[in-house]
Amino acid sequence: HYHAIDWKEKVSDRLRSGKIDGIIMREPDRIDEIIRCRIPGICAPVTKRIVEGFINIIIDNDAVGRLGAEHLLHCGFRHFAYCGFEGIYWSGKRGEAFRGRIAEAGHPCYVYEPPKAKGALWEKEEPLLVKWLKSLPKPVGIMACNDDRSQHVLDACHMAQIHVPSEVAIIGVDNDEFICR
């Protein structure tokens, strides 16, 4: 859903209607159209750090990655891995910080390389994630870039018959209530 494009026409129609007081958004391709409409906006960027012309919600992704690493180090793991999304700014930053802290502690970090195609279907990606998980030394502490991705890792562990948390411990980010339950 981070790369969805089907909503763009609906947004343009609503902008032209003049019935919008403000907008909270990710980073639409038509950002110039929103700026021209002079609609106040708040942006939570996905693929870049900030979007010019808007108030931006920025998370300290370096701290998120370091904290995930600290937690897994504190749990006593000796093997570590990171699973993120391709082409999403905050996922990359979290992964860099996680790997950096793991390296400081003297451990290697395995990184899942997702398919390059935008909007890759989970049905096509799941076997790749299963294969990657099977290749990791166990026990392993894995940081997922967010709760959505942690659910993907958990589902792939189930498919691979890998026991959680004894073989693979997974830490997610964001506390998405729906996913965490």
Side-chain angles (χ1 to χ4, degrees):
H1 67 274
Y2 294 106
H3 297 294
I5 58 171
D6 59 342
W7 53 267
K8 290 178 182 178
E9 283 186 33
K10 292 177 187 175
V11 170
S12 291
D13 291 345
R14 288 182 182 165
L15 286 172
R16 284 190 294 273
S17 75
K19 295 179 182 176
I20 294 178
D21 296 318
I23 186 167
I24 300 172
M25 64 190 161
R26 290 291 185 186
E27 54 192 79
D29 292 338
R30 298 174 177 169
I31 198 110
D32 293 336
E33 182 180 355
I34 296 167
I35 290 170
R36 279 193 308 276
C37 291
R38 304 178 72 87
I39 295 170
I42 297 173
C43 188
V46 173
T47 63
K48 53 184 119 179
R49 186 173 183 282
I50 64 167
V51 174
E52 296 294 330
F54 291 90
I55 296 169
N56 287 258
I57 299 170
I58 301 171
I59 295 170
D60 187 345
N61 293 299
D62 292 330
V64 170
R66 285 192 310 273
L67 286 170
E70 288 295 335
H71 177 74
L72 292 173
L73 286 164
H74 180 74
C75 288
F77 285 95
R78 299 285 179 248
H79 304 291
F80 302 89
Y82 181 79
C83 185
F85 289 118
E86 178 69 28
I88 296 180
Y89 173 79
W90 49 262
S91 175
K93 294 303 284 182
R94 291 173 184 185
E96 288 171 22
F98 179 82
R99 291 189 312 271
R101 178 62 189 100
I102 296 301
E104 284 174 14
H107 301 286
C109 181
Y110 302 89
V111 178
Y112 174 68
E113 298 291 335
K116 301 286 185 209
K118 277 190 176 183
L121 295 176
W122 174 238
E123 293 78 21
K124 292 184 179 184
E125 184 180 358
E126 187 176 32
L128 302 174
L129 188 53
V130 165
K131 182 179 177 183
W132 178 72
L133 288 166
K134 285 181 174 181
S135 75
L136 297 174
K138 312 291 187 298
V140 61
I142 299 177
M143 179 176 175
C145 66
N146 69 356
D147 293 332
D148 296 323
R149 201 53 152 169
S150 68
Q151 184 65 55
H152 293 163
V153 174
L154 187 60
D155 290 347
C157 283
H158 179 73
M159 287 292 294
Q161 297 181 334
I162 296 171
H163 298 345
V164 176
S166 59
E167 293 180 90
V168 172
I170 307 163
I171 185 170
V173 179
D174 297 331
N175 291 331
D176 181 308
E177 266 190 62
F178 180 74
I179 294 171
C180 291
R181 288 179 194 249

